[in-house]
Amino acid sequence: MKKRLFISVLILLSLLFTSCGVDTGEKKESRIINNNKNEWNGWTFFSEPFQFSERANPDNENSRVVERTGYRLMMEKPETGEKKSPCIIPDCTHSVDSGCFFVSRYDFLYSFVVGDYLFLYCNGQFYPLNADDAKDRSKSGFYHELRYVNIVSGKSGSVFSYIAGYNTTDYMLGDRYVWYVIPDIAEKKPVYKLIRFDYLKSVTLDVMSFDDCPTLYLLTDSRIYIGRHPLSVSSPDDLNVISLDYDGNNKREEPSLIASRWLLNETYLLSQDKIAVPGGLSTCGSPHFTYFNIVTKERHDFSEGENVNAIGLRETDGRIYYISSKKAETVFTLNAFTRAAELGITVEELVNNESEIKKMNDEIQDALFNDTMFLKSRNPDGSDPRTHFEFPPGMFFEGIADPRYSNTNTGSISKDGRLFYVETASKQDGKTVRKNAAINIDTGEITYIQD
């Protein structure tokens, strides 16, 4: 009897300990993946256009000769200015008909490096090469291709290649997988498929289908976040952001702030708050940012209600720097739709009311040119606020839209942490003039960017 009891206890303990270690199959998130760098061993990559001649219809030797533009991917060492082709084939001509991997009829719009893998997104208007007349060319669309090559081994391939009626596509680069959305037909109906491509094994997996074209918003080490396009909704609540695990399972509803992420760093993101435009077709950004931690799910107002005109992470000290001004709310959110809603009239009625339009424009002008700007900083969680510089009225600073000076890693701050990039608005000869500028974070000196 004692022996039976002892064995039963062992079995029970074994079951208890086994159940504690059961693998649910869902990996916990530990970091955000943000592969958008364009650098490898001191080299950066860029697209270089070139001209070439060919017959309008290669199948017809009597067709006219036309001039076209092709594109070569080049690599450069910024420190020395040395430039060369990444192609390692000695006798390659790098011409458009050479079959060179780094040459295309379509522009290399983006190039990203993940480890030793270089990804190249080619995009441009497509038309059949044997199209002789405008009627044939009217049937054209847009060419989309994402190529990849291992810079060390030379292994190369294409993640996707297709022609569609729209000129942009959506994809995200992980540490092993590429995620992208592609149009397809299912049961005689157009659908949009979310695809996962394993670029280490060249294996494709259909993850999920959508009736409407979705947008990829965020990628972590175990989940992908996806939702409706922000221009297709009139309220952030309608974005329907969800997340899925890497196999398309364990669906989870997510906060809409994921869609307006501005800065991504390890486990947290800073997202610009969006507001619905009354009677409008979309949303507009506000001068407020929310801190959200994907691991702890902590969420709070980053600046405790203070306006944030522009924002960036300074990696050298780990602090978030931002431009603030008291009247920024007016610049960001006052427009014909919000004013009409405030007055309880239609937009058409407002537009036809000269006094109200003048009043609205005067308020915007006052906020732009009669407000003091501040360069401030906080820790990412919003703690330890500091004011670094104060700039007198006469010039308004806001976030810069130029991708050369803004990214989701450091926002408006340069990689070396020295400069804070902004778009300035000032009055010159009675007109509003906008220019890109850089503020030295250590001295407060403003330098205009000469493009």
Side-chain angles (χ1 to χ4, degrees):
M1 182 70 179
K2 289 182 179 179
K3 186 175 181 181
R4 287 182 183 175
L5 181 61
F6 178 71
I7 292 173
S8 298
V9 171
L10 285 178
I11 293 173
L12 179 60
L13 289 172
S14 175
L15 289 172
L16 285 172
F17 282 111
T18 302
S19 63
C20 289
V22 169
D23 183 3
T24 63
E26 184 176 3
K27 180 183 175 184
K28 290 185 177 180
E29 294 177 292
S30 64
R31 66 184 178 91
I32 296 171
I33 296 176
N34 192 27
N35 291 326
N36 65 356
K37 295 184 178 179
N38 177 31
E39 186 272 335
W40 181 79
N41 289 350
W43 294 91
T44 59
F45 300 88
F46 67 96
S47 181
E48 182 178 78
F50 66 92
Q51 301 299 311
F52 67 97
S53 302
E54 68 177 3
R55 295 200 177 278
N57 183 348
D59 299 330
N60 180 2
E61 62 180 14
N62 296 318
S63 66
R64 60 194 177 90
V65 174
V66 294
E67 290 292 318
R68 302 200 194 278
T69 301
Y71 300 88
R72 297 187 182 99
L73 189 84
M74 300 291 289
M75 55 197 300
E76 177 183 17
K77 278 199 171 178
E79 296 159 351
T80 64
E82 179 186 358
K83 299 178 183 180
K84 67 177 182 178
S85 170
C87 182
I88 59 174
I89 301 175
D91 57 349
C92 182
T93 62
H94 313 307
S95 61
V96 76
D97 57 355
S98 65
C100 179
F101 183 86
F102 301 101
V103 178
S104 175
R105 291 175 177 271
Y106 307 97
D107 197 0
F108 293 104
L109 286 187
Y110 303 107
S111 53
F112 300 112
V113 178
V114 182
D116 288 329
Y117 279 85
L118 172 64
F119 291 88
L120 308 172
Y121 174 56
C122 306
N123 175 256
Q125 189 167 17
F126 167 85
Y127 55 86
L129 287 181
N130 59 357
D132 273 324
D133 54 48
K135 182 179 179 181
D136 287 336
R137 294 190 180 195
S138 68
K139 300 175 183 177
S140 65
F142 291 92
Y143 180 82
H144 306 268
E145 182 182 11
L146 182 62
R147 303 177 181 182
Y148 68 96
V149 60
N150 186 299
I151 305 172
V152 176
S153 70
K155 173 189 174 184
S156 63
S158 178
V159 180
F160 57 76
S161 175
Y162 64 95
I163 299 166
Y166 48 85
N167 63 355
T168 60
T169 194
D170 213 357
Y171 63 90
M172 280 190 165
L173 305 177
D175 296 333
R176 174 173 178 171
Y177 302 114
V178 178
W179 306 83
Y180 61 96
V181 175
I182 191 171
D184 202 353
I185 300 293
E187 297 180 355
K188 299 182 179 180
K189 293 182 179 180
V191 296
Y192 298 89
K193 286 188 175 181
L194 173 62
I195 308 293
R196 188 193 79 187
F197 178 77
D198 184 339
Y199 57 83
L200 299 183
K201 294 185 176 180
S202 299
V203 176
T204 299
L205 173 70
D206 286 8
V207 178
M208 182 175 283
S209 291
F210 299 85
D211 293 332
D212 299 313
C213 187
T215 295
L216 304 182
Y217 284 122
L218 189 70
L219 182 64
T220 70
D221 54 353
S222 62
R223 298 184 74 82
I224 185 164
Y225 294 69
I226 191 168
R228 297 179 65 185
H229 194 284
L231 294 179
S232 70
V233 300
S234 58
S235 169
D237 296 333
D238 297 330
L239 286 168
N240 300 332
V241 180
I242 62 171
S243 69
L244 309 165
D245 66 22
Y246 275 17
D247 294 321
N249 302 318
N250 299 306
K251 179 180 175 182
R252 193 171 71 197
E253 293 184 0
E254 301 291 351
S256 61
L257 61 83
I258 296 292
S260 54
R261 67 272 177 267
W262 197 268
L263 285 175
L264 306 175
N265 189 269
E266 293 296 327
T267 64
Y268 71 86
L269 59 86
L270 286 169
S271 176
Q272 184 183 32
D273 294 354
K274 298 288 185 176
I275 63 171
V277 178
L281 300 176
S282 186
T283 60
C284 71
S286 76
H288 301 288
F289 280 74
T290 296
Y291 170 92
F292 181 68
N293 193 304
I294 64 160
V295 175
T296 65
K297 305 305 176 186
E298 176 189 359
R299 174 170 51 174
H300 59 76
D301 177 8
F302 164 72
S303 60
E304 300 174 325
E306 186 178 35
N307 288 328
V308 177
N309 303 15
I311 194 167
L313 167 66
R314 195 183 196 189
E315 294 179 322
T316 52
D317 60 15
R319 293 178 64 83
I320 304 293
Y321 287 73
Y322 60 100
I323 300 294
S324 179
S325 64
K326 292 182 180 179
K327 300 178 182 179
E329 193 88 38
T330 298
V331 177
F332 278 75
T333 64
L334 180 56
N335 53 58
F337 292 101
T338 56
R339 177 50 55 88
E342 178 186 326
L343 296 174
I345 61 177
T346 66
V347 174
E348 184 179 4
E349 288 173 328
L350 174 66
V351 171
N352 291 325
N353 189 324
E354 292 184 7
S355 62
E356 286 295 344
I357 285 292
K358 182 180 184 305
K359 181 181 177 181
M360 181 184 73
N361 290 334
D362 286 346
E363 289 178 37
I364 294 174
Q365 292 293 301
D366 174 68
L368 283 170
F369 307 120
N370 296 316
D371 198 6
T372 302
M373 304 289 118
F374 297 91
L375 177 60
K376 301 185 177 186
S377 72
R378 293 172 179 258
N379 288 326
D381 62 4
S383 63
D384 189 23
R386 302 176 191 174
T387 298
H388 300 278
F389 297 102
E390 178 179 328
F391 304 93
M395 185 179 297
F396 187 84
F397 299 153
E398 61 183 302
I400 195 166
D402 194 321
R404 292 175 296 176
Y405 310 111
S406 181
N407 60 72
T408 51
N409 289 104
T410 59
S412 296
I413 295 182
S414 61
K415 185 175 177 61
D416 60 13
R418 291 178 52 251
L419 303 175
F420 192 111
Y421 296 113
V422 292
E423 180 183 283
T424 67
S426 61
K427 277 285 186 185
Q428 294 183 17
D429 298 326
K431 296 181 179 180
T432 300
V433 177
R434 294 185 176 273
K435 295 181 181 179
N436 292 337
I439 302 172
N440 188 302
I441 295 176
D442 296 316
T443 66
E445 180 185 4
I446 300 173
T447 304
Y448 289 104
I449 299 172
Q450 300 297 327
D451 292 324

